[in-house]
Amino acid sequence: MFRFTIRDVLWLTVVVALAVAWAIEHRQLALVRSALQIEQAEQRMAELRERELRGGVILTPAPARIRVLDRGGIERSRAKDE
């Protein structure tokens, strides 16, 4: 049977506390990073919309699928990436 001293329990407490603190900090950093990326994307879109209003660039929504007709006239849809 194992016997633990108070010193062993205190070391275990320190290790667990550090692991929990690291996990909390890591999660908060990931949330902040995601929020920053969203904010940057929104700022970029606002800049592009402003340029579009001034006539510098035209924004058009890209279709998610492209219609393709084969030789028999049968429609096949495929992803834009393909």
Side-chain angles (χ1 to χ4, degrees):
M1 184 167 166
F2 295 109
R3 299 190 102 195
F4 296 103
T5 63
I6 293 176
R7 183 182 68 186
D8 295 334
V9 173
L10 289 175
W11 274 114
L12 179 62
T13 304
V14 168
V15 169
V16 169
L18 286 174
V20 169
W22 175 81
I24 290 171
E25 181 184 13
H26 182 71
R27 182 178 170 98
Q28 288 176 344
L29 182 61
L31 291 174
V32 168
R33 186 179 300 137
S34 296
L36 180 61
Q37 288 175 345
I38 290 170
E39 183 180 336
Q40 288 175 342
E42 288 174 350
Q43 183 179 15
R44 179 70 177 138
M45 284 303 297
E47 290 172 1
L48 288 174
R49 284 190 192 105
E50 184 179 326
R51 283 181 58 192
E52 181 182 26
L53 291 175
R54 286 186 276 142
V57 68
I58 297 174
L59 298 176
T60 57
R65 311 287 282 170
I66 298 174
R67 291 180 55 195
V68 177
L69 298 177
D70 63 5
R71 291 183 183 203
I74 300 173
E75 181 179 349
R76 298 180 302 169
S77 68
R78 65 176 186 173
K80 187 176 182 180
D81 305 347
E82 296 175 8

